[in-house]
Amino acid sequence: MSDFGKDLIAAMEEAATHAQGKGKVARVHSIEVPDVRAIREALGLSQQGFASAYRIPLATLKGWEQGRRQPDATASAYLSVIAHLPRETRDVLCAA
């Protein structure tokens, strides 16, 4: 049997063990979701202003703030950059 086949079987056995609630072989990844409204308000921007400045669709921003949707991992990382480096982020986007 190939190494790929062995790895595939091992992965399936690991998944089955996890699904049965046995062992702790699976990794759990969690994404810290930033408070979008708090970031925007700390910058003193309206929803329209924030969305425009950081090139985020207004409907997406509203969905995040109203709790209808949550930012995925990439968007969460982007929002963290905005929170820590708001001016620099805006400058980069304006230069692009």
Side-chain angles (χ1 to χ4, degrees), residues 31 34 64 71-81:
I31 299 169
W64 291 341
D72 63 13
T74 303
S76 292
Y78 180 49
L79 290 164
S80 294
V81 170

Side-chain angles (χ1 to χ4, degrees), residues 5 8 33 44 49-52 64 73 80:
L8 186 58
V33 178
F50 186 86
S52 179
W64 291 341
S80 294

Side-chain angles (χ1 to χ4, degrees), residues 36-55:
V36 183
R37 179 175 286 138
I39 294 169
R40 178 181 60 76
E41 289 177 348
L43 295 174
L45 294 171
S46 66
Q47 286 181 331
Q48 180 65 49
F50 186 86
S52 179
Y54 297 106
R55 298 185 185 176

Side-chain angles (χ1 to χ4, degrees), residues 26-38:
R27 292 185 202 134
V28 176
H29 299 277
S30 62
I31 299 169
E32 188 169 322
V33 178
D35 184 342
V36 183
R37 179 175 286 138

